[in-house]
């Protein structure tokens, strides 16, 4: 059995968000044909999409082709709306969360994760509770809200609610910095995504978030945890040698917290995967793909299946067991 914990969906039939949620400049969909569309942000093209993003039958066919049994389905971060007034973000979250459940229609091969208005922790907790009652299993959040990182008191309060409710959390980078040097070659995705994810892990550690949260919190960082594993030694060195600046609110050195989070396998290379397993441990890495977007892995799980350094038991953990523990189930589902 293989579980993919990192995929995205754009449901069909979402309304004009400027009318439904208020404000202007919300993403909208330009329909190009029956099988192709473009997510637009204002007049700018954001991302082309096809039926893989909205048609469960197409998703299931791709899962069968790649040998995937379960697929965690999360929102596409461009719809988070964290920069908006909270009342608008609540409305858009409700729209997409409800459409996600309607799109997946109770198919037990899909595990729906919701989105929440993270800029308002109380509203985020309320929307999470509503979604859990309706059928969502977990929540995807962005790695920051404006200038607030994941060690912000309000975000920590939300994560504590996730721990209390047993809700798995997927942290996904979003809203990367731009500028002339980053607007070439998809550099915001090639350098900004790893850097943003690394920064959010630093905030959880150095900002004291992990110290303030219970160990029961199940939290996974997408895209292999960004550049964190590669630079752990640098971070550890700085914590010990420049504690006057680096330690912040952290009670322990960074390596102490390696068993507090998981990362997915969206790293595309055997050497990078080996670094993750060697650094974080074989129990903290699980398959993700970023399906169905162009920078995702296909066939899903290939980097794990072709990793000659993994034992059969380790492969089994990365392909199935670790994901089931993350989702809160130690036993495989019937699919």
């Amino acid at each position: 059995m293989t579980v993919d914990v990192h995929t995205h969906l754009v449901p069909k039939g979402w309304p004009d968000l400027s009318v439904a949620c208020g404000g202007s400049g919300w993403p909208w969909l330009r329909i190009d044909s029956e099988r192709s569309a473009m997510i637009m942000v204002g007049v700018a093209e954001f991302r082309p999409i096809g039926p893989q993003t909205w048609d469960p039958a197409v998703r299931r066919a791709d899962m069968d082709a790649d040998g995937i049994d379960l697929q965690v389905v999360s929102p596409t971060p461009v719809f988070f709306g964290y920069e908006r007034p909270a009342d608008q973000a609540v409305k858009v979250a409700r729209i997409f969360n409800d459409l996600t459940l309607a799109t997946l229609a109770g198919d037990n091969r899909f595990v729906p994760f919701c989105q929440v208005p993270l800029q308002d922790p109380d509203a985020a907790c309320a929307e999470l509770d509503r979604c859990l009652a309706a059928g969502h299993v977990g929540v995807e959040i962005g790695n920051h809200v404006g200038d607030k990182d994941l060690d912000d008191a309000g975000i920590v309060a939300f994560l504590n609610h996730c721990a209390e409710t047993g809700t798995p959390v997927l942290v996904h980078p979003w809203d990367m910095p731009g500028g002339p040097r980053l607007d070439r070659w998809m550099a915001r995705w090639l350098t900004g995504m790893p850097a943003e994810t690394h920064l959010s892990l630093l905030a959880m550690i150095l900002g004291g978030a992990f110290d303030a949260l219970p160990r029961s919190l199940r939290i996974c960082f997408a895209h292999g945890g960004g550049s964190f594993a590669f630079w752990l030694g640098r971070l550890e060195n700085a914590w010990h040698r420049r504690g006057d600046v680096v330690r912040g609110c952290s009670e322990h050195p960074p390596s102490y917290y390696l068993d507090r989070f998981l990362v997915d396998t969206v790293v595309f290379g055997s050497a990078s995967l080996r670094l993750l397993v060697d650094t974080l441990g074989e129990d903290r890495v699980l398959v993700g793909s970023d399906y169905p977007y162009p920078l995702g892995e296909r066939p899903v799980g290939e980097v794990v299946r072709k990793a000659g350094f993994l034992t059969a038991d380790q492969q089994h953990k990365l392909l199935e067991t670790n994901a089931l523990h993350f989702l809160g189930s130690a036993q495989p589902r019937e699919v």
Side-chain angles (χ1 to χ4, degrees), residues 22-198:
S24 60
W26 285 99
W28 57 282
L29 197 64
R30 189 188 74 202
I31 306 297
D32 296 328
S33 74
E34 288 186 359
R35 299 183 60 81
S36 64
M38 178 70 70
I39 299 175
M40 303 290 293
V41 179
V43 298
E45 294 182 344
F46 175 75
R47 177 174 295 154
I49 60 173
Q52 297 90 344
T53 63
W54 66 71
D55 188 340
V58 175
R59 297 179 78 98
R60 283 193 298 270
D62 286 345
M63 291 167 67
D64 291 342
D66 291 358
I68 301 298
D69 299 282
L70 288 179
Q71 189 184 77
V72 173
V73 183
S74 294
T76 296
V78 72
F79 299 104
F80 283 160
Y82 293 165
E83 76 284 3
R84 304 275 178 165
D87 63 324
Q88 295 181 17
V90 168
K91 292 176 182 176
V92 77
R94 283 177 166 262
I95 288 170
F96 281 95
N97 290 335
D98 292 348
L99 282 173
T100 293
L101 292 181
T103 299
L104 303 179
D107 189 318
N108 65 357
R109 294 186 68 181
F110 300 120
V111 182
F113 274 32
C114 64
Q115 68 182 69
V116 295
L118 198 58
Q119 65 269 58
D120 184 332
D122 289 339
C125 291
E127 178 60 13
L128 176 63
D129 291 344
R130 187 187 76 88
C131 288
L132 293 176
H136 284 89
V137 173
V139 61
E140 179 192 56
I141 64 171
N143 68 300
H144 68 103
V145 177
D147 291 330
K148 296 178 179 180
D149 279 308
L150 298 186
D151 60 326
D152 173 76
I155 298 176
V156 169
F158 172 75
L159 292 175
N160 188 66
H161 186 68
C162 292
E164 290 175 348
T165 56
T167 305
V169 181
L170 177 65
V171 179
H172 196 286
W174 87 296
D175 194 29
M176 290 83 70
R181 295 175 62 237
L182 291 167
D183 288 339
R184 303 185 295 167
W185 322 306
M186 294 193 74
R188 284 192 290 167
W189 280 261
L190 299 177
T191 67
M193 271 196 167
E196 285 288 340
T197 310
H198 183 179

Side-chain angles (χ1 to χ4, degrees), residues 229-299:
F230 188 85
W231 289 116
L232 174 61
R234 183 177 179 86
L235 175 59
E236 191 85 358
N237 179 67
W239 194 91
H240 286 288
R241 292 177 178 267
R242 286 305 311 270
D244 57 318
V245 177
V246 175
R247 288 185 186 177
C249 300
S250 169
E251 295 178 8
H252 305 281
S255 58
Y256 176 85
Y257 301 95
L258 297 183
D259 65 347
R260 297 296 301 276
F261 62 92
L262 303 102
V263 300
D264 71 15
T265 60
V266 186
V267 294
F268 305 103
S270 180
S272 298
L273 179 65
R274 184 165 198 158
L275 176 64
L276 287 184
V277 174
D278 286 347
T279 303
L280 300 178
E282 62 193 49
D283 296 323
R284 315 308 297 176
V285 184
L286 62 176
V287 167
S289 68
D290 208 9
Y291 174 94
Y293 293 134
L295 292 183
E297 183 189 47
R298 292 293 308 276

Side-chain angles (χ1 to χ4, degrees), residues 8-26:
H8 298 286
L9 170 142
V10 178
K12 291 179 69 174
W14 41 286
D16 183 332
L17 299 179
S18 297
V19 175
C21 304
S24 60
W26 285 99

